[in-house]
Amino acid sequence: VTKNLSLDTKDLEKKITKKTKAIIVQHTFGMPAEIEKIIKIAKAYGIYVIEDVAHAIGAEYKNKKLGTFGIASIFSLGRDKAFSSVFGGVVITKDRDLAQKLKAFQRQRPYPTLGWIFQQLFHPLAFSIILPLYDAAKLGKIMLVALQKLHLLSFPVESAEKRGKFYPSSIRKYPNALAVLALHQLKKIASYNHKRKVLSNIYLKAVEELHIETPAKKDEVLLRFPIFIGKPFAARQYFKEFHIYLGDWYANVIDPKDTNFSAVGYVRGSCPQAEYYAHRIVNLPTYPAMEDNDINKVIEILRSYAAS
């Protein structure tokens, strides 16, 4: 991984073998990967490029939409993504044969149960109550755990996935109820992205003045604004005292933190750069509903922390 938290193109070729079929590229936090170089390398080896655009829906690289460079692109619409329908996702492709195979596969899949659909639709309502209570003697967190144990809310990642298990039979068609949520959010994506760009530029100016390291660049549409600091846990605790919760994406080289590394095929130390940045990262909030006083408060506390 490079400083922009994406594939290191210099290291990429060393990792390609005769078994390599495709390169999956994540545009982390909305920061474009070196996608043109990656495409060039892939063509030289006759392999495919698949873009993961969950963090960068609507974002561009050299006036071209991210997600239009590879043979296919995946867009997660899960919670905490660029826009959300709580669960589900979309795949697009420029290859007709692949498109037909995807459509055929989709037609074969059943719809999820009504109970599962209810869990997803209940999620926004539940969190409208949980989040304001998160500071109140951990009441919000207790409510979240209780609702999950009662199966009224689903988990973002199933325990089997953390153990490296994947069951194709678990894939379901995207239900219309969630599609309505997604379409409602999609109508707002341009305004969301504009606000995120404005917020990111404000943060960028502030962290540069404070000499805090960041991989962010001007005018990027960032889902989260990442900074690298020596003691990320201490920083999160400091901000928490002011009722601000900094993100910890990705404080683990593979998230979530209780993932079984060996089960998913990761060897500790095999990606030293990724591990280095994971141990130093925190994210400043960039949610579209932030007001001027919100971002000013974040920057004020950041200045205070940097001076401490």
Side-chain angles (χ1 to χ4, degrees):
V1 71
T2 60
K3 185 179 174 181
N4 76 342
L5 307 180
S6 189
L7 283 176
D8 184 343
T9 53
K10 294 178 181 177
D11 189 52
L12 175 59
E13 288 193 77
K14 300 175 185 177
K15 300 296 192 291
I16 295 174
T17 70
K18 292 181 180 179
K19 294 182 179 180
T20 305
K21 302 295 183 183
I23 302 168
I24 300 177
V25 183
Q26 176 177 286
H27 301 293
T28 309
F29 298 130
M31 297 180 293
E34 295 179 303
I35 190 65
E36 288 181 332
K37 291 183 180 179
I38 294 168
I39 293 289
K40 186 176 180 180
I41 292 170
K43 285 183 177 178
Y45 286 88
I47 54 182
Y48 298 114
V49 171
I50 301 170
E51 294 178 77
D52 179 348
V53 202
H55 295 183
I57 299 172
E60 296 182 348
Y61 176 78
K62 294 185 178 179
N63 298 317
K64 185 176 179 181
K65 295 289 186 186
L66 293 176
T68 61
F69 290 87
I71 188 174
S73 297
I74 49 179
F75 300 78
S76 168
L77 305 182
R79 59 200 81 178
D80 295 327
K81 295 302 190 292
F83 75 90
S84 171
S85 61
V86 185
F87 232 97
V90 176
V91 58
I92 63 172
T93 180
K94 60 182 71 173
D95 184 276
R96 288 183 178 275
D97 290 338
L98 178 57
Q100 292 303 318
K101 290 178 181 178
L102 286 168
K103 287 180 179 179
F105 177 77
Q106 183 194 41
R107 284 194 292 269
Q108 295 169 2
R109 308 315 307 153
Y111 280 105
T113 64
L114 290 176
W116 184 90
I117 294 173
F118 169 81
Q119 286 180 323
Q120 314 320 311
L121 295 178
F122 183 56
H123 186 274
L125 177 61
F127 267 74
S128 69
I129 301 170
I130 290 170
L131 289 179
L133 297 175
Y134 220 76
D135 280 332
K138 297 185 178 180
L139 182 58
K141 190 171 185 178
I142 293 170
M143 288 180 62
L144 172 60
V145 173
L147 289 171
Q148 287 175 331
K149 286 189 175 182
L150 291 170
H151 303 291
L152 294 173
L153 289 178
S154 63
F155 292 92
V157 180
E158 295 296 332
S159 59
E161 293 180 74
K162 300 175 189 178
R163 302 192 306 273
K165 303 293 184 182
F166 172 72
Y167 304 104
S169 60
S170 66
I171 299 175
R172 297 288 188 266
K173 286 180 181 175
Y174 191 57
N176 287 339
L178 298 194
V180 170
L181 293 182
L183 288 171
H184 179 69
Q185 293 276 299
L186 186 59
K187 292 176 182 177
K188 301 179 180 180
I189 193 64
S191 62
Y192 284 176
N193 285 348
H194 173 73
K195 184 62 176 288
R196 288 189 173 112
K197 183 185 292 187
V198 170
L199 293 172
S200 296
N201 283 341
I202 294 172
Y203 280 139
L204 184 60
K205 182 179 179 182
V207 299
E208 286 177 345
E209 290 174 355
L210 295 170
H211 304 289
I212 295 174
E213 187 179 5
T214 179
K217 297 178 182 177
K218 188 177 180 181
D219 291 334
E220 289 181 326
V221 178
L222 299 185
L223 179 59
R224 302 283 181 94
F225 189 94
I227 57 175
F228 302 133
I229 53 180
K231 298 178 180 179
F233 178 78
R236 291 198 297 272
Q237 291 300 110
Y238 187 86
F239 272 76
K240 191 175 179 181
E241 293 177 10
F242 297 91
H243 309 291
I244 295 176
Y245 291 83
L246 299 184
D248 61 354
W249 291 10
Y250 291 95
N252 305 284
V253 71
I254 296 179
D255 258 8
K257 62 183 179 181
D258 54 346
T259 297
N260 185 322
F261 279 14
S262 59
V264 298
Y266 183 75
V267 178
R268 290 182 186 275
S270 61
C271 296
Q273 285 289 90
E275 293 180 17
Y276 174 85
Y277 289 123
H279 294 154
R280 287 160 177 78
I281 195 168
V282 293
N283 330 131
L284 305 180
T286 56
Y287 57 92
M290 284 187 79
E291 302 289 347
D292 289 346
N293 61 316
D294 296 324
I295 192 167
N296 289 335
K297 181 178 179 181
V298 173
I299 292 172
E300 181 183 338
I301 297 169
L302 185 63
R303 286 199 180 101
S304 173
Y305 176 77
S308 63

